[in-house]
Amino acid sequence: MEWVDDGVVEEFSLTDAESGPYGISAGADGALWLTLVHSGEIARLTVDGAVERYSAGSRPTTIAAGVDDALWFTRSGDDHIGRITTDGVMSEFELPSGSGPFGMCAGPDAAMWFTEMNTDRIGRITPEGRIARFELPVRGAFPSMVVCGPDDALWFTLNQANAIGRIDLDGKTTLYPLPGPGAPVGITRSADETMWFVDIAAGRIGNIAPDGAMRMFPLPDPTAKPHAITALPSGDCWFTEWGANRLGRISPTGIITEYDLPTPASEPHGITVGPDGAVWTALETGAVARITP
């Protein structure tokens, strides 16, 4: 592996640029798992740099640790949900054509939950592959990322409806519009049991409590295009700035600190807390960056 270290952010080459590292999650096996959206693969990366790659179908997009110690991922290119064990055994579950699955997370009910960008639905899949789908009360909303909240509900972003959504286990949905125009994408649950999200269009970081109370924090650069966000046990959240080639950190009170990535135009997308306690992010140009909080 070729490492680049600027004293704050470490970066190393994972694949060629054509593979397109996109989503990233820590697995139950103490490794990091990534989607390679362009080459149609899943990569397993240990913290000391060993890489394995597995064929995974068309456009694997986001990936999440499962309730069954496997990794689950969406395949937006051919409308499937994928599952890979930590030993590399792959299985797949077909969705209706045109669904456009994107976000994925483990729910509070021993199932995985996912978004369907193209059909305005939230889906649920059990480890055995039983699928249920819930209609949202809005059209053309482009549901994107999803996270399990502290209230045994699922919280998700509606990128084209400029709103945050909440769905309970029975499918009842509530929508919370953002103040001012925007387009939320990534969302995470923080240690203070609120949800933090990024607004890619308006260059803001948002916070929403289970009761729907919302706060917004503008970035210094409104064109930074924040994309994904993850929470640390400390309560801080880290996020990617896809349009500005940076990583950012926001404190529970809204203090923002930013870090430039060593390589220009590296296209940071997914971000997660690794098994080593560091923050890891996938760079679509073929690398991974690591930063110690």
Side-chain angles (χ1 to χ4, degrees):
M1 295 298 173
E2 181 182 353
W3 284 86
V4 176
D5 185 351
D6 70 351
V8 178
V9 182
E10 299 170 299
E11 182 182 306
F12 66 89
S13 175
L14 177 71
T15 68
D16 54 66
E18 287 72 29
S19 296
Y22 191 89
I24 185 169
S25 178
D29 59 343
L32 292 149
W33 292 77
L34 299 97
T35 58
L36 305 182
V37 66
H38 299 313
S39 63
E41 296 173 289
I42 300 296
R44 179 184 184 271
L45 170 68
T46 65
V47 294
D48 57 2
V51 180
E52 298 173 270
R53 294 167 66 170
Y54 306 90
S55 180
S58 180
R59 293 188 65 83
T61 307
T62 62
I63 188 166
V67 294
D68 54 354
D69 289 340
L71 286 300
W72 291 74
F73 56 95
T74 53
R75 282 173 25 190
S76 61
D78 60 2
D79 301 309
H80 281 71
I81 300 298
R83 176 184 183 272
I84 184 170
T85 69
T86 53
D87 296 325
V89 178
M90 194 81 66
S91 52
E92 61 182 27
F93 306 92
E94 188 175 3
L95 296 171
S97 178
S99 299
F102 186 77
M104 171 73 73
C105 76
D109 56 348
M112 303 298 292
W113 289 71
F114 58 93
T115 63
E116 293 185 8
M117 295 181 294
N118 299 336
T119 60
D120 297 307
R121 291 187 176 97
I122 302 296
R124 175 186 184 271
I125 183 168
T126 68
E128 299 78 28
R130 293 191 298 273
I131 296 172
R133 301 159 78 223
F134 302 94
E135 294 272 355
L136 297 175
V138 62
R139 300 272 70 85
F142 210 77
S144 299
M145 301 301 290
V146 60
V147 68
C148 182
D151 52 354
D152 286 344
L154 288 303
W155 292 74
F156 53 93
T157 53
L158 293 170
N159 180 262
Q160 295 300 301
N162 193 32
I164 304 299
R166 176 191 183 275
I167 186 169
D168 65 23
L169 301 183
D170 295 323
K172 180 182 177 182
T173 303
T174 308
L175 303 185
Y176 300 95
L178 270 62
V185 184
I187 188 168
T188 190
R189 172 182 170 180
S190 75
D192 64 0
E193 300 199 333
T194 62
M195 278 60 65
W196 288 77
F197 59 91
V198 296
D199 180 348
I200 194 170
R204 304 180 290 180
I205 309 298
N207 170 281
I208 185 168
D211 64 1
M214 195 178 295
R215 298 181 294 164
M216 303 299 298
F217 303 92
L219 295 174
D221 177 4
T223 67
K225 293 187 177 355
H227 181 269
I229 189 166
T230 192
L232 271 66
S234 65
D236 287 354
C237 292
W238 285 76
F239 53 93
T240 55
E241 295 185 16
W242 176 75
N245 202 50
R246 286 191 292 259
L247 301 182
R249 180 182 69 198
I250 186 166
S251 73
T253 58
I255 298 172
I256 294 170
T257 310
E258 297 176 309
Y259 303 88
D260 291 328
L261 290 166
T263 302
S266 53
E267 299 187 44
H269 282 292
I271 191 167
T272 194
V273 180
D276 55 352
V279 175
W280 293 75
T281 187
L283 308 178
E284 195 171 347
T285 47
V288 174
R290 177 186 183 275
I291 187 167
T292 303

